[in-house]
């Protein structure tokens, strides 16, 4: 089936049925994943999937419907549904699909598709996952079990068409490995988590390194205990720092900003952090997991600095919110076929600093190195952060004993001001959000 | 991407729950002869067990922002998953194409997990009756969308009228009609139609000097649309607005151990995190939960009896059948502090020589079933709620809650408190902001020192996440006192 043609046909049909504007967003994919347990397959899942979402506008009213059924009758039915639902929505003169001035030329994404991933032999995942498990076990005899060890790959294609002249398509590949070993010292259990997730097979960490690192992270937590309640410097490892980065981006969501429901809303152009702090959303990052030529409504993606050398320089927008806020869309409409576009980050990262992570630790007399967080993180409305944390205690620049059952708390704006160290180890660990090791001058650690 | 943590939270107004739902017709989802053929193909390489799972889900969602209905949407997701078990190994394949060749392809793909030769057996199935725990007279999908958008407009008006400091209101209504059919090589064939609706209102209030606080409330269940006559959107909105306004002027929370009193209801998330996830049989079988090997042992205070009940009338987490076709059940997990039972799905039960507790649930046909909770609550005790508060000299009263999360291996759990008050001499004092409770499951439960006489289910807005699968659940708790809980905050005494 020619899906690009199908997308166009859906748009034409919607127009014929009375839509003033119409858009079809179509996704097709195939995925495979495996989990292994004690040297053999635990489960193996393989599938194909597809779906289409149709957005229509009638007299400034928006309707949306989706289906995973591509039979003609089903497609007709969702077009009718979308038109009917438009009747139930409120008219808003700001509603509308992105138009000519927002559409324009797509930037250069570079390669998104790896033939090696698309043509992986059927048993590659099984072998790779077994190697991960074997390496994790061999790394330390205190590994007694695994929550999960697995591998997966998928290929996805996106096709779009709209009455405003948007047509486009892209396809991409993804491959991942992960491990969650459990270590025991007889008195307690601790787990570690390590993962790698890439578009290209050659970029993927080796199964051995995933297994070994996961185990290292589990065993070093054995014997973890609470510490006293105190205010100390806190260092986040890159995996944990990426959730801080996501929280920042959530507060830079143009809709939250427009509604005044973000701590960053009144601060555009203000200096919030030191000149070493640059936070970027880049939809065109070479080999990025979220790299694509266009966003969820066909607008070209681009690089948008959110914090530029410490200054709050921009927010993330989709077309509708940009119109509301009298801004320009930044190509940050994110969606699946079964959802309306909403603002979301693409490849989001905090630029690396110059110091090694070891150096950042060495400069701490007494503090907390956080390697896992529990909870939802920061409230974008108030900027308040409170999260459960596990990690290692720092004494005189050295990692000492493991710590658990404590929380770290602070406020986003204060944390930006207190961000006094960035590692040279920027990484995208298991997703499209990247961060290096990050150090804050002071947070409240709550424990005994 | 799986994580070693599981979490639950209130579905937020800006987030739509995943599709779930059903079709109105009584015609079978797939013809029985085709189902039987799929089972035969799935077993052709000699698996021990095969199952066909059919799902057809219709979702309607409406959203309100800035006093306007921003969008109305509807969608259909349908598909068939075929699972084959061979020893401890599972093969799974699914397809959202319903044409016969695509389904047969999925069945043979799943069959590959077994290594045996061809067999030519047939697997007839017989439809089994299922109980009914839902109160749905008219399918939600048949209710006019204008009535659904009407709920949100009413909520918006009520929230804004509640207090001049209410600045922003977001509201959403989502319903799903989900039809499932499950058939397996043991001959069992069941169908269920699972309607579910939920409304959520999120309010931002602004106080002095630009201070902003949020409030969030919602509810629903497996109920008819008439539910909103007795649980009107105005009351939902007013509660969300009350929370937002009540917390204006809140002071920094003191960090460190405190005595905490939990208000009844939604606070049941504490149980869900502190013990629920850790009792799921997959973690137990693999020995990755700190509750593994502790059956019959004391894991909580004598006052603690924890029940997981899939049969609560119209409960958000209730199920006539689980996603393996077994009836939902009521299980006593912890009785007077002693660990009595785990939550079993079919596969883990078989591998552990136990029987399923009807806990095999999945988000959709795209997922394998996992042992999961349904409605999880604490049995009431015999302390009057007002006395529980009165007896506390200094502590923290937790009135409303965000979400929680747990690491089932070391038992660390967190629990976000969105509305809290200092307790001074048995009375509520100033509101406190940015509070969070952290603990280790069994230790926290051993510190439960008072259980109220006022059991209360949550209003029906819980979403539980595990291995990337989102499910509707219920929780419940009477007023509860726990001693010596680490409270996360910013203020160091």
């Amino acid at each position: 089936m020619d899906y690009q043609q199908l997308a166009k046909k859906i748009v034409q049909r919607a127009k014929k049925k009375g839509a003033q504007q119409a858009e079809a967003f179509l996704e097709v994919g195939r995925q495979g994943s495996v989990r292994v347990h004690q040297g053999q397959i635990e489960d193996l899942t393989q599938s194909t999937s597809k779906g289409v979402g149709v957005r229509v506008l009638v007299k400034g009213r928006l309707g949306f419907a989706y289906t995973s059924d591509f039979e003609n009758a089903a497609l007709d039915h969702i077009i009718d549904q979308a038109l009917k639902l438009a009747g139930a929505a409120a008219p808003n003169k700001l509603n509308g699909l992105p138009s000519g001035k927002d559409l324009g030329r797509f930037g250069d994404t570079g390669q998104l598709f790896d033939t090696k991933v698309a043509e992986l032999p059927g048993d590659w995942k099984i072998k790779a996952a077994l190697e991960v498990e074997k390496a994790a076990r061999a790394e330390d005899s205190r590994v007694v079990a695994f929550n999960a060890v697995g591998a997966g790959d998928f290929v996805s294609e996106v096709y779009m068409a709209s009455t405003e002249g948007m047509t486009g398509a892209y396809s991409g590949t993804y491959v991942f490995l992960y491990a969650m070993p459990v270590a025991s010292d007889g008195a307690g259990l601790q787990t570690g988590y390590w993962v790698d997730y890439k578009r290209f097979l050659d970029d993927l960490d080796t199964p051995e390194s995933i297994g070994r690192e996961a185990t290292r992270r589990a065993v070093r937590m054995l014997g973890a205990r609470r510490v006293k309640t105190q205010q100390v410097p806190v260092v986040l490892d890159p995996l944990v720092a990426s959730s801080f980065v996501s929280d920042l981006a959530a507060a830079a969501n143009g809709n939250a900003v427009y509604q005044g429901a973000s701590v960053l809303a009144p601060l555009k152009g203000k200096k919030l952090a030191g000149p070493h702090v640059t936070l970027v959303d880049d939809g065109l990052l070479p080999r990025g997991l979220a790299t694509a030529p266009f966003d969820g409504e066909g607008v070209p993606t681009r690089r948008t600095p959110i914090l530029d050398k410490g200054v709050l320089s921009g927010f993330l927008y989709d077309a509708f919110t940009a119109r509301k806020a009298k801004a320009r869309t930044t190509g940050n409409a994110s969606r699946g076929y079964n959802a309306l576009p909403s603002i979301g980050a693409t490849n989001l990262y905090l630029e690396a600093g110059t110091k090694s992570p070891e150096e950042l630790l060495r400069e701490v007399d007494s503090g907390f190195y956080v390697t896992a967080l529990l909870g939802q993180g920061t409230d974008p409305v108030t900027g308040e952060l409170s999260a459960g944390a596990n990690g290692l205690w720092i004494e005189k620049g050295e990692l000492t004993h493991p710590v658990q059952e404590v929380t770290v708390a602070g406020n986003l704006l204060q944390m930006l001001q207190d961000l006094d160290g960035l590692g040279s180890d920027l990484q995208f660990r298991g997703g499209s959000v990247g961060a290096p090791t990050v150090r804050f001058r002071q947070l409240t650690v709550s424990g005994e | 991407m799986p994580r070693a943590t599981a979490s639950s939270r209130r579905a937020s107004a800006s987030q739509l729950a995943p599709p779930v739902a059903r079709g109105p017709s009584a015609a079978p989802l797939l013809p029985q002869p085709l189902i039987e053929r799929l089972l035969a193909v799935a077993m052709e390489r000699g698996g021990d067990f095969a199952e066909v799972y059919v799902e057809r889900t219709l979702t309607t969602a409406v959203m309100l922002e800035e006093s306007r209905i921003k969008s109305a949407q509807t969608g259909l997701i349908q598909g068939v998953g075929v699972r084959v078990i061979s020893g401890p190994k599972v093969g799974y394949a699914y397809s959202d194409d319903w044409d016969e060749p695509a389904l047969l392809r999925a069945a043979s793909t799943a069959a590959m997990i077994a290594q045996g030769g061809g067999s030519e057996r047939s697997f007839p199935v017989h439809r089994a009756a299922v109980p009914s725990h839902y109160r749905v007279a008219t399918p939600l999908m048949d209710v006019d969308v204008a009535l659904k958008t009407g709920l949100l407009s009413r909520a918006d008006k009520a929230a804004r009228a509640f207090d001049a400091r209410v600045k922003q209101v977001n509201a959403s209504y989502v319903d799903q009609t989900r039809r499932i059919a499950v058939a397996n090589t043991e001959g069992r064939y069941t169908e269920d139609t699972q309607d579910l609706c939920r409304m959520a209102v999120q309010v931002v209030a602004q106080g002095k000097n630009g201070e902003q606080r949020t409030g969030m409330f919602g509810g629903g269940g497996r109920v008819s649309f008439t539910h909103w006559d007795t649980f009107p959107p105005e009351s939902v909105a007013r509660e969300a607005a009350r929370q937002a306004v009540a917390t204006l002027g809140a002071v920094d929370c003191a960090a460190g151990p405190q005595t905490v009193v939990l208000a009844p209801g939604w606070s049941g998330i504490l149980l869900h995190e502190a013990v629920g996830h850790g009792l799921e049989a997959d973690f137990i079988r693999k020995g990755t939960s700190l509750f593994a090997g502790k059956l019959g042992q004391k894991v909580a205070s004598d006052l603690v009896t924890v029940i997981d009940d899939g049969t609560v009338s119209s409960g958000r987490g209730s199920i006539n059948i689980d996603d393996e076709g077994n009836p939902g059940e009521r299980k006593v997990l912890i009785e007077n502090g002693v660990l009595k039972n785990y939550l079993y799905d079919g596969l883990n039960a078989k591998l552990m020589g136990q029987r399923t507790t009807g806990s095999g649930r999945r988000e959709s046909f795209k997922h394998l079933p996992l042992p999961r909770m349904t409605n999880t609550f604490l049995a009431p005790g015999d302390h009057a709620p007002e006395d529980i508060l009165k007896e506390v000299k200094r502590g923290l009263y937790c009135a409303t809650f965000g979400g929680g999360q747990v690491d089932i291996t070391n038992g660390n759990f967190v629990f976000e408190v969105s509305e809290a008050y200092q307790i001074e001499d048995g009375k509520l004092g100033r509101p406190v902001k940015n509070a969070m409770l952290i603990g280790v499951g069994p230790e926290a439960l051993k510190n439960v020192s008072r259980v109220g006489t006022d059991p209360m289910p949550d209003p029906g807005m819980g979403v539980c996440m595990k291995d990337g699968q989102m499910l509707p659940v219920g929780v419940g708790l009477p007023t509860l006192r726990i001693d010596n809980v680490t409270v996360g905050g910013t203020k160091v005494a």
Side-chain angles (χ1 to χ4, degrees):
Chain A
M1 185 181 288
D2 181 342
Y3 292 117
Q4 183 75 72
Q5 276 310 1
L6 181 64
K8 284 185 185 162
K9 217 158 62 188
I10 291 168
V11 167
Q12 284 158 3
R13 265 200 259 175
K15 199 156 180 169
K16 219 178 263 162
K17 285 172 179 276
Q20 276 144 346
Q21 294 187 324
E23 168 199 79
F25 183 93
L26 207 138
E27 282 179 293
V28 186
R30 56 186 171 88
Q31 38 293 113
S33 63
V34 66
R35 291 193 302 171
V36 298
H37 186 56
Q38 294 175 339
Q40 59 173 342
I41 297 172
E42 180 176 8
D43 46 52
L44 178 64
T45 298
Q46 293 188 83
S47 64
T48 55
S49 57
K50 63 184 185 348
V52 62
V54 178
R55 219 170 20 146
V56 299
L57 283 125
V58 184
K59 294 181 188 147
R61 296 165 186 262
L62 173 69
F64 177 71
Y66 61 88
T67 184
S68 58
D69 186 348
F70 283 6
E71 294 296 319
N72 268 330
L75 295 172
D76 268 332
H77 178 70
I78 60 155
I79 295 168
D80 294 341
Q81 280 288 327
L83 288 162
K84 188 177 135 202
L85 288 165
N92 185 339
K93 59 179 191 309
L94 297 174
N95 272 335
L97 299 178
S99 57
K101 78 169 167 57
D102 287 328
L103 292 171
R105 282 182 50 145
F106 302 143
D108 178 16
T109 60
Q111 280 290 324
L112 303 177
F113 193 94
D114 182 11
T115 325
K116 279 190 192 155
V117 172
E119 293 167 8
L120 274 174
D123 60 355
W124 178 87
K125 285 189 288 285
I126 300 166
K127 283 187 175 144
L130 289 172
E131 280 173 43
V132 173
E133 188 185 47
K134 198 167 142 200
R137 252 187 215 289
E139 177 70 14
D140 198 296
S141 60
R142 289 168 293 175
V143 169
V144 293
F146 289 86
N147 269 311
V149 179
D153 57 11
F154 61 102
V155 178
S156 87
E157 300 163 30
V158 170
Y159 301 87
M160 266 194 87
S162 84
T163 48
E164 310 312 289
M166 156 59 202
T167 55
Y170 61 91
S171 60
T173 50
Y174 306 85
V175 58
F176 59 86
L177 294 170
Y178 63 92
M180 283 182 269
V182 171
S184 169
D185 57 1
L189 300 175
Q190 292 289 350
T191 189
Y193 172 68
W194 201 240
V195 56
D196 199 29
Y197 188 6
K198 294 284 190 331
R199 278 187 180 278
F200 291 82
L201 193 62
D202 294 343
D203 293 350
L204 193 71
D205 291 352
T206 63
E208 293 79 10
S209 71
I210 298 293
R212 280 202 300 265
E213 180 63 15
T215 289
R216 226 172 51 83
R217 291 172 75 92
V219 295
R220 72 181 178 186
M221 287 302 299
L222 288 168
R225 59 177 198 260
R226 279 195 296 176
V227 290
K228 287 218 174 330
T229 298
Q230 54 194 297
Q231 286 175 321
V232 286
V234 169
V235 182
L236 308 181
D237 86 355
L239 188 66
V240 172
S242 68
S243 38
F244 166 72
V245 171
S246 299
D247 290 350
L248 273 173
N253 174 312
N255 201 40
V257 168
Y258 175 79
Q259 294 195 345
S262 160
V263 68
L264 298 180
L267 300 173
K268 190 159 179 199
K270 296 267 188 304
K271 191 165 175 355
L272 303 184
H276 54 297
V277 180
T278 292
L279 172 69
V280 176
D281 179 80
D282 187 355
L284 294 170
L285 185 75
R287 298 168 103 83
L289 282 175
T291 300
F294 52 85
D295 74 355
E297 45 189 7
V299 171
T301 58
R302 68 208 65 183
R303 182 176 186 278
T304 306
I306 296 170
L307 285 167
D308 192 1
K309 300 193 173 65
V311 175
L312 180 59
S313 55
F315 300 126
L316 304 180
Y317 288 105
D318 60 0
F320 173 71
T321 312
R323 257 180 241 132
K324 258 194 327 195
K326 301 195 168 45
R328 287 291 301 276
T329 170
T330 51
N332 282 98
S334 117
R335 71 183 293 190
Y337 77 85
N338 61 342
L340 279 161
S342 65
I343 298 172
T346 60
N347 304 291
L348 177 80
Y349 63 96
L350 201 54
E351 281 186 3
T354 51
K355 290 184 177 171
S356 70
E358 292 76 20
E359 215 173 332
L360 289 176
L361 294 171
R362 247 196 322 271
E363 295 164 351
V364 175
D365 182 42
S366 174
F368 186 21
Y369 179 61
V370 180
T371 56
L373 283 181
L374 276 181
Q376 297 303 316
T378 315
D379 176 348
V381 179
T382 60
E384 284 156 8
L385 162 77
S386 204
N390 285 349
L392 298 145
W393 198 250
I394 311 164
E395 281 298 340
K396 302 204 167 32
E398 298 284 331
L399 295 175
T400 59
H401 68 87
V403 176
Q404 67 167 20
E405 207 194 338
V406 300
T407 69
V408 290
N411 183 287
L412 200 64
L413 296 178
Q414 190 61 49
M415 287 165 79
L416 280 170
Q417 281 180 33
D418 285 351
L419 203 165
D420 70 354
L422 283 165
S424 53
D425 54 343
L426 166 65
Q427 48 191 287
F428 289 83
R429 187 52 61 186
S432 57
V433 181
T437 298
V438 173
R439 187 178 67 201
F440 301 102
R441 196 170 296 118
Q442 179 177 288
L443 284 172
T444 305
V445 175
S446 178
E448 287 167 3
Chain B
M1 192 67 55
R3 295 301 299 256
T5 55
S7 65
S8 73
R9 57 190 306 91
R10 303 180 299 184
S12 76
S14 56
Q15 167 198 27
L16 301 180
V20 185
R22 139 204 112 187
S25 61
L29 281 167
L30 268 192
Q32 194 165 320
L34 176 56
I35 289 180
E36 290 174 351
R37 196 147 165 239
L38 293 174
L39 288 172
V41 170
M43 292 292 273
E44 67 190 358
R45 293 169 63 96
D48 304 328
F49 171 93
E51 164 197 87
V52 173
Y53 180 85
V54 190
E55 178 191 5
R56 193 166 195 270
T57 287
L58 266 152
T59 303
T60 301
V62 285
M63 286 172 78
L64 174 140
E65 245 183 31
E66 295 143 40
S67 301
R68 290 172 196 258
I69 299 297
K70 184 185 182 182
S71 63
Q73 55 178 285
T74 173
L76 168 71
I77 286 189
Q78 57 176 27
V80 178
V82 181
R83 178 165 63 135
V84 177
I85 300 178
S86 173
K89 296 186 297 188
V90 175
Y92 194 63
Y94 60 86
S95 161
D96 47 25
D97 272 335
W98 287 60
D99 60 314
E100 199 163 321
L103 298 180
L104 291 168
R105 255 198 316 278
S108 11
T109 304
M112 308 281 269
I113 199 73
Q115 304 293 322
S119 82
E120 282 296 316
R121 294 172 56 198
S122 66
F123 296 93
V125 294
H126 307 283
R127 185 147 177 189
V130 301
S132 177
H133 306 301
Y134 321 142
R135 279 197 304 242
V136 183
T138 307
L140 293 165
M141 55 178 274
D142 295 342
V143 176
D144 186 358
V145 74
L147 290 172
K148 299 170 185 176
T149 56
L151 290 182
L152 302 188
S153 305
R154 285 165 56 192
D156 180 63
K157 280 194 193 70
R160 289 179 190 277
F162 181 82
D163 193 293
R165 290 166 291 177
V166 167
K167 204 180 104 179
Q168 203 55 258
V169 181
N170 287 339
S172 68
Y173 168 90
V174 186
D175 69 35
Q176 298 153 333
T177 297
R178 176 189 198 224
R179 269 189 83 195
I180 59 170
V182 197
N184 63 37
T185 46
E186 286 162 6
R188 185 173 170 86
Y189 169 38
T190 48
E191 286 205 3
D192 193 20
T193 298
Q194 303 173 335
D195 283 68
L196 183 68
C197 60
R198 180 178 52 81
M199 169 183 183
V201 179
Q202 211 160 7
V203 169
V204 179
Q206 190 161 33
K208 293 183 193 124
N209 317 324
E211 182 203 7
Q212 306 215 104
R213 308 289 331 151
T214 52
M216 150 84 198
F217 193 61
R222 300 198 185 278
V223 290
S224 290
F225 198 75
T226 50
H227 178 71
W228 308 105
D229 298 341
T230 50
F231 189 72
E234 287 82 2
S235 66
V236 174
R238 281 196 284 266
E239 172 56 19
R242 186 202 61 74
Q243 290 173 22
V245 171
T247 46
L248 286 169
V251 294
D252 284 339
C253 182
Q258 293 195 53
T259 300
V260 300
V261 176
L262 309 182
W266 179 241
S267 47
I269 287 199
L270 177 91
L271 285 185
H272 177 107
E273 305 299 352
V275 289
H277 279 295
L279 300 181
E280 290 163 345
D282 48 354
F283 302 134
I284 300 298
R285 178 173 63 87
K286 293 180 182 178
T288 62
S289 159
L290 83 169
F291 287 101
K294 295 211 166 103
L295 272 185
Q297 294 181 23
K298 196 103 165 45
V299 294
S301 122
D302 293 352
L303 307 176
V304 172
T305 293
V306 178
I307 292 151
D308 183 84
D309 188 352
T311 70
V312 175
S313 176
S314 73
R316 182 171 161 85
S318 296
I319 42 177
N320 291 338
I321 51 168
D322 70 2
D323 295 308
E324 298 179 300
N326 298 306
E329 291 182 23
R330 179 179 192 274
K331 295 81 65 185
V332 177
L333 302 175
I334 295 175
E335 194 166 25
N336 304 330
V338 177
L339 182 57
K340 289 286 187 192
N341 204 355
Y342 296 124
L343 295 161
Y344 294 100
D345 62 306
L347 175 65
N348 285 293
K350 191 170 153 235
L351 295 172
M352 294 166 77
Q354 301 290 334
R355 76 174 191 87
T356 175
T357 53
S359 305
R361 300 183 67 192
R362 49 181 133 197
E363 183 185 309
S364 79
F365 69 91
K366 296 183 177 182
H367 303 87
L368 282 164
L370 298 171
R372 299 291 291 263
M373 284 171 267
T374 55
N375 305 293
T376 314
F377 53 88
L378 190 77
D382 46 18
H383 301 99
E386 54 277 15
D387 294 347
I388 295 179
L389 180 62
K390 242 184 272 173
E391 290 170 356
V392 178
K393 198 164 162 40
R394 288 190 67 85
L396 190 75
Y397 183 80
C398 305
T400 56
F401 306 87
Q405 196 175 6
V406 63
D407 174 335
I408 47 108
T409 302
N410 59 22
N412 279 215
F413 70 90
V414 295
F415 183 42
E416 293 159 356
V417 188
S418 46
E419 182 189 1
Y421 299 87
Q422 292 168 340
I423 303 174
E424 282 147 20
D425 295 327
K427 292 194 189 63
L428 295 191
R430 297 196 61 171
V432 164
K433 67 182 177 198
N434 200 15
M436 170 177 253
L437 309 183
I438 185 162
V440 172
E443 289 169 32
L445 292 177
K446 282 174 184 157
N447 287 332
V448 169
S449 59
R450 298 282 185 279
V451 178
T453 52
D454 53 345
M456 192 196 287
D458 81 277
M461 54 179 176
V463 170
C464 169
M465 191 85 174
K466 174 181 172 183
D467 278 6
Q469 293 195 46
M470 228 190 281
L471 285 180
V473 294
V475 295
L477 206 68
T479 299
L480 198 68
R481 170 176 157 174
I482 315 177
D483 300 330
N484 197 23
V485 180
T486 300
V487 175
T490 44
K491 198 171 72 194
V492 177

